[in-house]
Amino acid sequence: MISKFWFEAQNINCFKGGFRVIKDLNLKISYSENVILIGPNGSGKSSLIEVINRNIYPVKTKKSKLKILGSELINLWELRKRISTVNNDIKNRINPNLHVYDLILSGLYGRYCYIPNKSERDLHEVENIMKNMDISYLSKKNFSYLSDGEKQISLIARALIKKPDILILDEPTANLDYKSKFFVIDKINELSKLNTKILCVTHNISMITPIYDRVIMLKSGRVIAEGNQNKVINNKNLNKLYGINLEVVKENEFWTIKRLPKE
């Protein structure tokens, strides 16, 4: 029987540098849902991405279990093909003079450089993804000339060209100004029309838009709340998550928070 979950963790614990970064994690994520994982810095969000990408491994016990893409025996080639991750470190690997068109095409080869021998099929794939994401106007621009928001969307397009089942976005609006941040959020919302499902990992509550079927709150390596966003996003859970007195408000389908005075 084929599992409906692409990620299944049961009682897993992970360590980095002698510290336990994932604690007794029980979590399932299905192929049919867009999920946003939210938590403060140091909550274990990046560590969970490393678990998914097989960069760190859980401690094996009789009570623990980890399945990715329905299997405990995880094929790294299949993993790289079916799960694409975009993080902010990628920007440092790219030649600043590389055209956006060639950057996106390089995703078909798992590289970050100019690909000299392009097939007609490759060209069609690049043109198609740029058209679907409405970024064809960036095609001939050098990567270094892009705004921070355009850089992020170009990297997302590069990740999507392989048509993965799952797209992991690691802090996609980190260090962006307001214009770039909202540009990226709007583009991510448009991705919900594609077949690829999104796991967005962030500390920023304004990232939580209607495309997300489920919100997971992570603190100190543990899930403290999860479910539908209208159920999970409330003052009590956010105060617990961030450890300060906050008030959350939803206006025009966007969540905002403000800090309340100390009692």
Side-chain angles (χ1 to χ4, degrees):
M1 181 178 176
I2 299 175
S3 174
K4 68 177 183 177
F5 301 104
W6 68 265
F7 181 81
E8 301 173 74
Q10 181 180 321
N11 299 319
I12 70 167
N13 290 274
C14 299
F15 291 80
K16 285 174 65 178
F19 294 95
R20 189 163 60 141
V21 291
I22 299 293
K23 302 173 183 177
D24 302 317
L25 182 70
N26 289 280
L27 180 64
K28 293 182 179 181
I29 306 176
S30 79
Y31 288 100
S32 63
E33 59 183 352
N34 290 319
V35 173
I36 191 157
L37 179 72
I38 189 166
N41 293 337
S43 62
K45 304 188 302 297
S46 295
S47 297
L48 182 56
I49 295 175
E50 290 187 275
V51 170
I52 294 170
N53 286 323
R54 309 304 285 157
N55 294 323
I56 62 173
Y57 293 79
V59 177
K60 283 192 174 182
T61 69
K62 291 181 180 180
K63 294 182 179 180
S64 68
K65 182 188 294 184
L66 176 65
K67 285 186 178 183
I68 300 176
L69 301 173
S71 176
E72 291 183 73
L73 300 174
I74 298 155
N75 182 309
L76 286 179
W77 289 105
E78 183 182 11
L79 184 74
R80 302 291 181 260
K81 181 180 178 182
R82 296 179 60 188
I83 300 177
S84 286
T85 301
V86 177
N87 59 46
N88 289 291
D89 294 337
I90 294 174
K91 294 173 186 174
N92 300 323
R93 305 181 195 175
I94 298 165
N95 184 324
N97 296 318
L98 191 66
H99 287 171
V100 171
Y101 190 99
D102 292 306
L103 170 66
I104 295 172
L105 186 142
S106 73
L108 291 170
Y109 297 84
R111 298 163 70 183
Y112 294 92
C113 60
Y114 178 78
I115 305 298
N117 301 314
K118 308 175 184 69
S119 69
E120 287 296 324
R121 182 176 179 180
D122 290 347
L123 301 180
H124 175 75
E125 293 290 346
V126 177
E127 289 165 6
N128 191 48
I129 192 69
M130 294 190 81
K131 182 179 178 182
N132 285 342
M133 293 182 66
D134 195 25
I135 57 171
S136 298
Y137 65 96
L138 297 177
S139 177
K140 299 302 180 185
K141 284 191 175 184
N142 289 4
F143 187 74
S144 61
Y145 293 167
L146 304 181
S147 71
D148 287 336
E150 289 170 340
K151 286 179 180 178
Q152 191 72 348
I153 292 303
S154 298
L155 292 173
I156 290 173
R158 180 188 176 279
L160 286 172
I161 199 167
K162 294 185 294 182
K163 299 182 177 66
D165 296 323
I166 310 298
L167 174 66
I168 299 176
L169 301 175
D170 185 6
E171 298 287 5
T173 61
N175 304 316
L176 299 185
D177 60 30
Y178 281 110
K179 182 178 179 180
S180 294
K181 182 175 79 169
F182 291 125
F183 173 77
V184 169
I185 289 172
D186 289 344
K187 287 295 183 185
I188 292 172
N189 287 343
E190 292 170 10
L191 298 182
S192 62
K193 303 170 188 174
L194 305 179
N195 291 328
T196 299
K197 291 300 181 182
I198 299 169
L199 171 61
C200 180
V201 178
T202 184
H203 67 275
N204 186 353
I205 193 171
S206 65
M207 283 293 306
I208 304 175
T209 61
I211 70 164
Y212 295 103
D213 307 292
R214 187 167 156 222
V215 176
I216 299 168
M217 292 184 174
L218 195 69
K219 182 175 184 179
S220 301
R222 289 190 170 97
V223 174
I224 64 166
E226 60 94 14
N228 178 278
Q229 58 181 273
N230 290 316
K231 170 188 172 185
V232 172
I233 304 299
N234 56 54
N235 295 349
K236 180 181 177 181
N237 284 339
L238 285 170
N239 290 345
K240 183 178 179 182
L241 185 67
Y242 291 109
I244 57 175
N245 198 18
L246 299 172
E247 182 179 49
V248 61
V249 178
K250 189 177 186 181
E251 294 183 32
N252 300 321
E253 299 186 323
F254 286 92
W255 297 95
T256 58
I257 57 176
K258 63 180 180 179
R259 184 180 179 183
L260 297 178
K262 293 182 179 180
E263 296 180 353

XYZ file of all heavy atoms in Angstrom, residues 31-35 129 132-133 153 156 160 164-165 167 169 184-200 207 209-213 229 253:
323
model
N 1.219 14.246 0.911
C 1.484 14.750 -0.434
C 0.443 15.779 -0.877
O 0.677 16.517 -1.825
C 1.461 13.608 -1.446
C 2.638 12.682 -1.386
C 2.547 11.445 -0.737
C 3.841 13.003 -1.993
C 3.618 10.570 -0.710
C 4.917 12.129 -1.965
C 4.803 10.914 -1.323
O 5.864 10.052 -1.292
N -0.679 15.827 -0.210
C -1.809 16.639 -0.686
C -1.878 18.021 -0.051
O -2.779 18.797 -0.369
C -3.123 15.907 -0.404
O -3.319 15.742 0.990
N -0.933 18.356 0.845
C -1.076 19.611 1.586
C 0.138 20.519 1.447
O 1.279 20.067 1.337
C -1.332 19.320 3.073
C -0.240 18.523 3.760
C -0.563 18.183 5.209
O -1.568 18.680 5.747
O 0.212 17.412 5.811
N -0.160 21.832 1.444
C 0.870 22.848 1.612
C 0.978 23.129 3.100
O -0.030 23.377 3.765
C 0.501 24.135 0.873
C 0.555 23.991 -0.633
O 1.462 23.375 -1.172
N -0.426 24.567 -1.321
N 2.206 23.124 3.598
C 2.428 23.230 5.037
C 3.394 24.376 5.316
O 4.370 24.572 4.587
C 3.013 21.915 5.609
C 3.397 22.077 7.073
C 2.012 20.783 5.435
N 8.598 27.268 -17.481
C 8.548 27.611 -16.054
C 8.582 29.119 -15.860
O 7.902 29.663 -14.983
C 9.689 26.914 -15.270
C 9.456 27.043 -13.755
C 11.055 27.481 -15.618
C 8.306 26.261 -13.220
N 5.085 30.376 -16.672
C 4.130 30.017 -15.615
C 4.302 30.886 -14.372
O 3.328 31.169 -13.666
C 4.295 28.542 -15.231
C 3.723 27.599 -16.262
O 2.905 28.004 -17.102
N 4.138 26.346 -16.234
N 5.543 31.306 -14.114
C 5.809 32.139 -12.937
C 5.834 33.625 -13.268
O 6.085 34.453 -12.393
C 7.136 31.714 -12.295
C 7.091 30.318 -11.698
S 8.637 29.833 -10.875
C 8.665 30.995 -9.509
N 13.023 34.475 -6.293
C 12.068 33.840 -7.197
C 12.797 33.094 -8.314
O 12.363 32.021 -8.751
C 11.095 34.886 -7.780
C 10.190 35.407 -6.661
C 10.254 34.302 -8.902
C 9.390 34.332 -5.933
N 13.798 29.846 -6.893
C 12.629 28.973 -6.764
C 12.275 28.374 -8.128
O 11.975 27.172 -8.235
C 11.438 29.746 -6.166
C 11.720 30.063 -4.686
C 10.142 28.942 -6.294
C 10.693 30.977 -4.045
N 12.104 24.427 -9.272
C 10.868 23.847 -9.800
C 11.022 23.229 -11.180
O 10.150 22.474 -11.618
C 9.774 24.919 -9.849
C 9.167 25.329 -8.508
C 8.250 26.522 -8.683
C 8.401 24.159 -7.886
N 9.621 18.767 -8.996
C 9.635 17.949 -7.781
C 8.240 17.787 -7.201
O 7.336 18.584 -7.479
C 10.522 18.765 -6.839
C 10.290 20.190 -7.261
C 10.154 20.128 -8.757
N 8.072 16.762 -6.394
C 6.811 16.591 -5.669
C 6.682 17.634 -4.567
O 5.597 18.139 -4.295
C 6.738 15.192 -5.032
C 6.722 14.085 -6.064
O 6.096 14.270 -7.115
O 7.358 13.040 -5.823
N 8.481 21.153 -2.664
C 9.405 22.288 -2.666
C 9.537 22.790 -1.235
O 8.553 23.199 -0.626
C 8.884 23.404 -3.566
C 9.685 24.714 -3.558
C 11.069 24.498 -4.159
C 8.931 25.809 -4.316
N 10.963 25.627 1.147
C 11.435 27.007 1.146
C 11.903 27.348 2.552
O 11.111 27.394 3.493
C 10.302 27.953 0.722
C 9.703 27.693 -0.666
C 8.515 28.627 -0.908
C 10.755 27.869 -1.752
N 7.852 38.281 -3.191
C 8.111 36.856 -3.020
C 6.866 36.127 -2.497
O 6.510 35.052 -2.988
C 9.315 36.636 -2.073
C 9.438 35.161 -1.674
C 10.589 37.109 -2.745
N 6.196 36.706 -1.516
C 4.992 36.074 -0.964
C 3.937 35.897 -2.050
O 3.306 34.827 -2.172
C 4.428 36.902 0.209
C 5.365 36.794 1.423
C 3.024 36.432 0.595
C 4.997 37.712 2.569
N 3.736 36.918 -2.872
C 2.738 36.830 -3.942
C 3.103 35.752 -4.950
O 2.231 35.001 -5.432
C 2.591 38.179 -4.653
C 1.905 39.230 -3.785
O 1.281 38.846 -2.772
O 2.004 40.429 -4.110
N 4.381 35.658 -5.299
C 4.825 34.640 -6.254
C 4.661 33.229 -5.677
O 4.260 32.305 -6.381
C 6.283 34.878 -6.649
C 6.499 36.070 -7.572
C 5.846 35.857 -8.935
C 6.113 37.009 -9.874
N 5.393 36.867 -11.155
N 4.981 33.075 -4.395
C 4.796 31.766 -3.754
C 3.324 31.377 -3.751
O 2.967 30.218 -3.999
C 5.370 31.776 -2.323
C 6.898 31.898 -2.377
C 4.969 30.506 -1.565
C 7.542 32.115 -1.023
N 2.451 32.340 -3.492
C 1.012 32.049 -3.517
C 0.574 31.532 -4.880
O -0.277 30.644 -4.985
C 0.219 33.305 -3.154
C 0.310 33.652 -1.677
O 0.685 32.820 -0.858
N -0.025 34.882 -1.340
N 1.169 32.080 -5.939
C 0.821 31.645 -7.296
C 1.278 30.213 -7.568
O 0.715 29.527 -8.424
C 1.435 32.593 -8.324
C 0.822 33.997 -8.298
C 1.598 34.983 -9.155
O 2.487 34.538 -9.916
O 1.323 36.195 -9.046
N 2.293 29.756 -6.837
C 2.798 28.395 -7.041
C 1.782 27.337 -6.636
O 1.907 26.175 -7.023
C 4.082 28.175 -6.229
C 5.282 29.054 -6.560
C 6.472 28.664 -5.697
C 5.640 28.973 -8.028
N 0.784 27.728 -5.862
C -0.240 26.768 -5.439
C -1.015 26.203 -6.622
O -1.688 25.185 -6.505
C -1.207 27.415 -4.441
O -1.891 28.507 -5.030
N -0.901 26.859 -7.791
C -1.567 26.363 -9.006
C -0.817 25.186 -9.623
O -1.365 24.463 -10.451
C -1.670 27.487 -10.035
C -2.398 28.732 -9.548
C -2.238 29.874 -10.536
C -2.789 31.184 -9.987
N -2.509 32.328 -10.881
N 0.449 25.015 -9.237
C 1.256 23.940 -9.798
C 1.037 22.645 -9.028
O 0.422 22.618 -7.971
C 2.737 24.333 -9.746
C 3.108 25.667 -10.411
C 4.601 25.933 -10.262
C 2.715 25.676 -11.886
N 1.581 21.546 -9.554
C 1.414 20.244 -8.908
C 2.311 20.085 -7.680
O 2.035 19.264 -6.813
C 1.709 19.119 -9.904
C 0.653 19.033 -10.992
O -0.509 19.330 -10.740
N 1.053 18.642 -12.193
N 3.391 20.841 -7.626
C 4.322 20.736 -6.507
C 3.715 21.295 -5.223
O 3.117 22.368 -5.230
C 5.624 21.501 -6.828
O 6.231 20.921 -7.982
C 6.598 21.443 -5.669
N 3.880 20.569 -4.134
C 3.414 21.040 -2.835
C 4.553 21.724 -2.085
O 5.728 21.418 -2.298
C 2.861 19.877 -2.003
C 1.555 19.314 -2.571
C 0.462 20.371 -2.616
C -0.849 19.833 -3.160
N -1.894 20.876 -3.239
N 4.202 22.636 -1.208
C 5.178 23.494 -0.545
C 5.270 23.179 0.940
O 4.256 23.023 1.621
C 4.790 24.978 -0.722
C 4.777 25.360 -2.209
C 5.738 25.893 0.050
C 4.149 26.717 -2.469
N 6.525 23.094 1.424
C 6.802 23.146 2.858
C 7.605 24.419 3.071
O 8.772 24.501 2.668
C 7.595 21.925 3.326
C 8.128 21.999 4.768
C 6.994 22.139 5.775
C 9.001 20.798 5.105
N 6.987 25.424 3.655
C 7.642 26.703 3.897
C 8.062 26.762 5.359
O 7.252 26.520 6.257
C 6.696 27.855 3.568
S 7.419 29.491 3.830
N 4.102 35.338 6.475
C 4.198 34.352 5.394
C 2.975 33.445 5.329
O 2.748 32.769 4.329
C 5.440 33.472 5.595
C 6.767 34.108 5.226
S 6.948 34.435 3.464
C 6.608 32.831 2.750
N -0.304 32.542 4.473
C -1.370 32.993 3.579
C -2.359 31.842 3.357
O -2.107 30.704 3.785
C -0.777 33.469 2.241
O -0.081 32.376 1.619
C 0.181 34.640 2.456
N -3.479 32.098 2.681
C -4.510 31.063 2.541
C -4.091 29.794 1.807
O -4.795 28.782 1.890
C -5.618 31.794 1.764
C -5.465 33.231 2.135
C -3.986 33.431 2.249
N -2.947 29.803 1.090
C -2.562 28.585 0.354
C -2.141 27.459 1.294
O -2.094 26.298 0.876
C -1.438 28.844 -0.667
C -0.101 29.126 0.033
C -1.813 29.943 -1.638
C 1.097 28.999 -0.879
N -1.851 27.786 2.554
C -1.337 26.762 3.459
C -2.485 26.047 4.169
O -3.284 26.663 4.868
C -0.358 27.374 4.460
C 0.881 27.895 3.775
C 1.055 29.266 3.541
C 1.851 27.025 3.294
C 2.176 29.737 2.869
C 2.962 27.492 2.624
C 3.116 28.841 2.407
O 4.224 29.310 1.731
N -2.512 24.721 3.978
C -3.561 23.897 4.567
C -3.322 23.644 6.046
O -4.254 23.330 6.785
C -3.621 22.536 3.841
C -3.743 22.695 2.338
O -4.803 23.167 1.899
O -2.777 22.377 1.615
N -4.833 26.811 10.107
C -4.290 28.081 10.601
C -5.286 28.863 11.453
O -4.887 29.517 12.425
C -3.778 28.939 9.449
C -4.775 29.290 8.369
C -4.120 30.131 7.274
O -4.058 31.353 7.368
N -3.618 29.482 6.238
N -7.016 38.392 4.940
C -6.385 37.074 4.786
C -4.899 37.058 5.162
O -4.203 36.089 4.908
C -6.584 36.528 3.370
C -8.052 36.331 2.997
C -8.233 35.651 1.665
O -7.428 35.930 0.743
O -9.151 34.837 1.534
